[in-house]
């Protein structure tokens, strides 16, 4: 185990990714008491996969246990995609004895700057089995018209 925290966490992360608005936290590997417990941190930092196909940008987020009404997908400032939501804690009954509370709760928000070829007016979102899929179609890149010029003698 290294004593130096890794700047490149996860197999797909890239600190040089111009589309990510995630901010590097130099203290994320240190354990400080916070208002969010370690058990809940997994939900607060919802993981998102982003792939680009020839037709669209496709983002998938694992959001288990939430209904589609509890999740918001918004476009702001022209090309910033925001995914947010909240899972509330289960109501406590005074007669219940809790032995473990491991399921995460709390608010989450992820923001992504979309590239210029994104058709933000045609974004679609769907949710199935706890996975939110956001599809952002891409504009066709117009190839420049090339006109051959004859060279005279």
């Amino acid at each position: 185990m290294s004593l130096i925290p890794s700047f490149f966490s996860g197999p797909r992360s890239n600190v040089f990714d111009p589309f990510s608005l995630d901010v590097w936290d130099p203290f994320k590997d240190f354990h400080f008491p916070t208002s969010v417990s370690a058990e809940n941190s997994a939900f607060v930092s919802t993981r998102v996969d982003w792939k680009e196909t020839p037709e669209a940008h496709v983002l998938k987020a694992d959001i288990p246990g939430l209904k589609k009404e509890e999740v918001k997908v918004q476009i702001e400032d022209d090309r910033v995609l925001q995914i947010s939501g909240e899972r509330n804690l289960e109501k406590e009954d005074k007669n219940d004895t809790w032995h473990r509370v491991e399921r995460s709760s709390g608010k989450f928000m992820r923001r992504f700057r979309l590239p210029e070829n994104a058709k933000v007016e045609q974004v679609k979102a769907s949710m199935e089995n706890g996975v939110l899929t956001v599809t952002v179609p891409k504009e066709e890149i117009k190839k420049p018209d090339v006109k051959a010029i004859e060279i005279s003698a």
Side-chain angles (χ1 to χ4, degrees):
M1 181 174 176
S2 173
L3 295 177
I4 302 171
S6 173
F7 297 120
F8 305 103
S9 63
R12 295 185 189 161
S13 72
N14 183 348
V15 294
F16 302 109
D17 183 0
F19 302 122
S20 177
L21 295 179
D22 292 342
V23 178
W24 173 65
D25 181 5
F27 302 108
K28 76 174 181 135
D29 292 329
F30 297 100
H31 301 287
F32 297 112
T34 63
S35 61
V36 178
S37 66
E39 290 85 12
N40 295 339
S41 64
F43 187 71
V44 175
S45 61
T46 299
R47 302 288 185 208
V48 177
D49 291 341
W50 178 354
K51 72 176 178 178
E52 182 175 353
T53 68
E55 299 81 29
H57 295 275
V58 180
L59 293 93
K60 291 190 177 201
D62 288 336
I63 311 176
L66 286 184
K67 300 175 191 145
K68 66 179 185 177
E69 296 82 17
E70 298 172 317
V71 178
K72 285 184 184 178
V73 178
Q74 301 170 310
I75 300 285
E76 55 182 41
D77 298 331
D78 289 333
R79 292 185 298 119
V80 177
L81 173 70
Q82 178 174 302
I83 301 171
S84 61
E86 180 176 9
R87 178 185 295 140
N88 297 319
L89 287 171
E90 193 171 319
K91 302 279 189 249
E92 290 189 31
D93 186 346
K94 296 197 186 288
N95 298 326
D96 293 339
T97 302
W98 290 85
H99 295 280
R100 292 187 75 80
V101 177
E102 294 184 345
R103 294 185 313 141
S104 56
S105 63
K107 294 181 180 184
F108 72 92
M109 179 178 69
R110 296 293 306 273
R111 296 173 56 154
F112 302 92
R113 181 168 307 282
L114 298 172
E116 291 186 22
N117 67 348
K119 292 183 178 178
V120 294
E121 65 282 346
Q122 296 179 12
V123 174
K124 292 189 179 355
S126 63
M127 200 148 124
E128 185 176 345
N129 297 327
V131 177
L132 172 70
T133 302
V134 180
T135 305
V136 184
K138 292 174 20 180
E139 293 179 8
E140 289 183 32
I141 299 173
K142 292 184 178 182
K143 294 181 181 176
D145 292 334
V146 178
K147 182 178 177 184
I149 308 294
E150 188 176 322
I151 300 173
S152 60

